[in-house]
Amino acid sequence: MLYYLFEYLESQFSVPGASVFQFITFRAAAAFILSLLISAIYGKRIINYLRKQQVGETVRDLGLEGQKQKSGTPTMGGVIIIFATLIPVLLLTKLDNIYIVILIITTVWMGLIGFLDDYIKVFKKDKEGLKGRFKILGQVGLGIIVGSMLYFNDGVTIKEQLPLDQQVMQENGRRKVFGEAHKSTKTTVPFFKDNELDYSKPLRFLGDGYEKYGWIIFIFITVFIVTGISNGANLTDGIDGLAAGSSAIIVITLAAFAWVSGNIIFADYLDVMYIPNSGEMTVFILAFAGALIGFLWYNTYPAQVFMGDTGSLTIGGIIAVIAISIRKELLLPILAGIFVVENLSVIMQVSWFKYTRKKYGAGRRIFKMSPLHHHYQKLSYHESKIVVRFWIVGILLAVFTIVTLKLR
């Protein structure tokens, strides 16, 4: 809203300083600061309200040290992250940008699913919360919506670099490096020479015109990633500060990718895929990062509030959609490695337990407990030490993800 206001003031009245709102970097920095202040300052009021309404966490007795003391801690704190993200986004972004529209839909959609799950747990006294099949249905539904919007909307395009012999000097003195904007199912893939993969290629057996069916694979991939990453974030939210801190590292890295991918000069210089209008996502992403860091003020050990599924499902959904939008989803197994490993630890534990119970009559375990962070708690590591070490691993993975762009 402020973007359009200052754009009007500049065009109609030439108000000094109004043009600064045209710069993505300025609006992104302002969004980060504003969201951080909202979550840090107003977060306390929301926590007090949740405590007053007796919206407390019911903790299962898993035999973990310090677990019982957390019973009654306010949950559903994910609303802090959601509001602290959406307010700066509504004020500072171009609301007609298709990528911003998709991210707002993602935030509200996943937030509602998580809120419903937490509501059932807290007020209906049902520890299972929303049935798993309904969660999956909601995640799949979002994946279909996001995938369809990204594939069929005319505002979602890419520009590919022209061969050297086709690059020409333009009237503005710059060399024309990129061709015309066009629809594509290409994405970034690490370690390959050309650094790109076209999802429609497996359909070449259909003959000429196979590209027009690429949406089938693209939407399937979108559904799979949205479901996997949102569940991974949900599983990671098991000890104080782990999910919020790990997510902040991931989204700040994605902010750098989004800004570079949406800037034609840096996309050319770094030889990465240029995605017109995607740079606007930087404002959203930094608002989201600021909200996560502000939330950490109350969520670090000992936590004054838990994000609940309201926060964790929303976090995972947003990260997945950002990565897909900037064609970096195949980097998520590295960048979001914490989420992936947490997910895999549960899958491995459950699968091995069922297999050994069927074969030997008694189930066996790979880990002392899953998800993985609980395994280390069972080994008597203090949860603060576990969280910080996971953050360090997350930072290393983020650096390696950036490096992969040049490893071809």
Side-chain angles (χ1 to χ4, degrees):
M1 295 178 185
L2 290 179
Y3 169 83
Y4 298 106
L5 172 62
F6 280 92
E7 183 182 45
Y8 175 78
L9 292 175
E10 182 188 10
S11 62
Q12 297 297 321
F13 306 104
S14 300
V15 175
S19 61
V20 74
F21 273 80
Q22 300 298 314
F23 296 100
I24 288 175
T25 48
F26 174 81
R27 288 184 288 120
F32 178 83
I33 294 170
L34 181 58
S35 64
L36 179 60
L37 291 175
I38 291 172
S39 57
I41 295 173
Y42 288 95
K44 185 63 176 179
R45 297 184 181 182
I46 294 175
I47 293 169
N48 289 337
Y49 176 79
L50 293 173
R51 185 177 287 113
K52 184 178 179 181
Q53 297 298 317
Q54 297 183 334
V55 185
E57 181 78 5
T58 302
V59 179
R60 295 181 180 180
D61 187 9
L62 301 175
L64 298 172
E65 183 179 352
Q67 183 186 28
K68 292 182 180 179
Q69 289 84 340
K70 296 184 179 184
S71 183
T73 301
T75 188
M76 301 175 94
V79 295
I80 299 172
I81 299 172
I82 292 172
F83 286 129
T85 299
L86 290 180
I87 292 172
V89 165
L90 294 175
L91 289 174
L92 297 168
T93 61
K94 297 179 182 179
L95 296 175
D96 58 348
N97 182 287
I98 182 61
Y99 296 107
I100 297 299
V101 172
I102 290 172
L103 286 171
I104 290 174
I105 290 172
T106 300
T107 304
V108 175
W109 184 288
M110 295 303 291
L112 287 174
I113 293 174
F115 182 86
L116 183 58
D117 185 47
D118 287 333
Y119 181 86
I120 293 172
K121 289 178 182 177
V122 174
F123 294 102
K124 301 298 182 181
K125 307 301 180 183
D126 184 351
K127 295 181 181 179
E128 297 299 322
L130 186 65
K131 299 298 182 184
R133 60 179 177 272
F134 294 118
K135 283 186 187 178
I136 295 296
L137 184 63
Q139 292 163 338
V140 170
L142 177 65
I144 293 173
I145 292 171
V146 170
S148 300
M149 292 180 73
L150 287 174
Y151 185 86
F152 293 107
N153 190 279
D154 293 334
V156 179
T157 58
I158 70 167
K159 288 187 177 182
E160 298 187 78
Q161 286 194 1
L162 296 169
L164 288 175
D165 59 347
Q166 295 182 25
Q167 295 180 16
V168 295
M169 295 300 293
Q170 302 179 99
E171 293 181 2
N172 58 11
R174 292 180 180 174
R175 180 175 290 275
K176 184 178 181 180
V177 177
F178 293 91
E180 298 303 315
H182 64 279
K183 303 293 292 183
S184 176
T185 52
K186 286 187 175 181
T187 190
T188 303
V189 58
F191 310 122
F192 281 70
K193 185 176 181 180
D194 60 2
N195 208 224
E196 292 179 357
L197 172 70
D198 193 335
Y199 286 134
S200 65
K201 289 296 183 183
L203 301 176
R204 283 179 293 184
F205 68 91
L206 296 175
D208 294 340
Y210 69 88
E211 296 92 346
K212 64 183 179 181
Y213 300 106
W215 63 271
I216 298 173
I217 296 179
F218 179 74
I219 292 177
F220 174 79
I221 294 293
T222 301
V223 168
F224 177 77
I225 292 172
V226 168
T227 303
I229 297 299
S230 57
N231 283 328
N234 187 232
L235 290 172
T236 304
D237 182 35
I239 52 180
D240 300 349
L242 179 57
S246 300
S247 300
I249 295 166
I250 294 169
V251 298
I252 290 172
T253 307
L254 289 174
F257 284 148
W259 187 75
V260 169
S261 298
N263 186 298
I264 194 167
I265 297 174
F266 282 96
D268 173 34
Y269 178 73
L270 295 173
D271 191 21
V272 298
M273 186 183 295
Y274 173 51
I275 309 171
N277 304 315
S278 65
E280 189 67 21
M281 283 190 287
T282 310
V283 184
F284 183 101
I285 299 170
L286 284 186
F288 184 44
L292 288 169
I293 294 172
F295 180 76
L296 269 175
W297 185 269
Y298 303 106
N299 187 236
T300 49
Y301 181 86
Q304 296 172 254
V305 65
F306 299 139
M307 66 173 67
D309 284 10
T310 306
S312 59
L313 290 176
T314 304
I315 286 172
I318 291 174
I319 288 174
V321 172
I322 292 170
I324 295 165
S325 299
I326 59 175
R327 316 292 174 111
K328 300 294 185 290
E329 67 273 15
L330 297 184
L331 294 175
L332 282 178
I334 303 172
L335 178 59
I338 298 295
F339 294 171
V340 173
V341 169
E342 293 276 50
N343 239 338
L344 287 175
S345 69
V346 174
I347 294 171
M348 292 167 61
Q349 184 88 322
V350 173
S351 300
W352 183 248
F353 185 86
K354 289 182 177 179
Y355 171 76
T356 53
R357 184 174 60 183
K358 183 177 180 180
K359 186 172 183 178
Y360 303 110
R364 300 176 183 178
R365 293 175 172 82
I366 300 173
F367 307 103
K368 289 183 177 295
M369 184 179 289
S370 64
L372 187 61
H373 56 263
H374 287 325
H375 170 76
Y376 290 108
Q377 281 187 285
K378 283 288 188 179
L379 292 175
S380 299
Y381 285 84
H382 191 278
E383 62 180 276
S384 294
K385 179 176 285 189
I386 298 170
V387 169
V388 171
R389 288 183 175 178
F390 271 56
W391 287 355
I392 293 171
V393 172
I395 293 170
L396 292 174
L397 292 173
V399 172
F400 184 65
T401 302
I402 296 172
V403 171
T404 60
L405 291 177
K406 306 307 292 183
L407 292 178
R408 307 181 181 182

